Amino acid sequence: MSTPNAPSSSNLALALAEDRRRDIVRKTKNGLQAAREQGKVGGRRPVVDDDKRAAILARRRRGESIRAIAAGVKVSVGVVHKTLAASAEGNSADRLSAP
């Protein structure tokens, strides 16, 4: 049992765990910052390169369905949706900035 002046063992364990977590977060952030300074980029590589993007957009302009495009280009339906949405956003931004 703990007294008001002395921390219980569970409070001590919680404090130590919190300190450990803070150390891990700090070291992780420092490591990511060091990697950025060296020019390293983390994360997953994009599935769609410029060739696949062009093929997706061309097939859609020809009126192909999203599923047919996905099967033909060998990407998921979601990737086709994202590519088309990104293209639509880019086109609308181009139209807004055009004189």
Side-chain angles (χ1 to χ4, degrees):
M1 199 155 266
S2 66
T3 62
N5 295 333
S8 68
S9 60
S10 63
N11 286 343
L12 181 61
L14 289 172
L16 290 173
E18 189 174 329
D19 283 345
R20 178 74 176 129
R21 183 185 171 284
R22 245 186 262 126
D23 284 345
I24 291 170
V25 168
R26 182 180 47 80
K27 287 178 183 179
T28 300
K29 287 183 178 181
N30 290 344
L32 290 171
Q33 181 62 35
R36 268 188 237 105
E37 289 170 1
Q38 293 175 6
K40 296 182 181 176
V41 179
R44 187 175 176 176
R45 289 194 176 118
V47 174
V48 178
D49 57 13
D50 290 336
D51 293 335
K52 284 185 180 181
R53 182 174 294 108
I56 290 170
L57 296 175
R59 286 172 172 238
R60 190 60 176 170
R61 278 192 295 270
R62 288 193 306 257
E64 287 189 41
S65 72
I66 302 243
R67 288 184 185 271
I69 295 169
V73 183
K74 294 186 173 65
V75 296
S76 71
V77 170
V79 168
V80 174
H81 278 292
K82 285 181 185 179
T83 303
L84 294 172
S87 174
E89 288 174 10
N91 289 342
S92 64
D94 290 343
R95 277 187 246 124
L96 292 175
S97 64

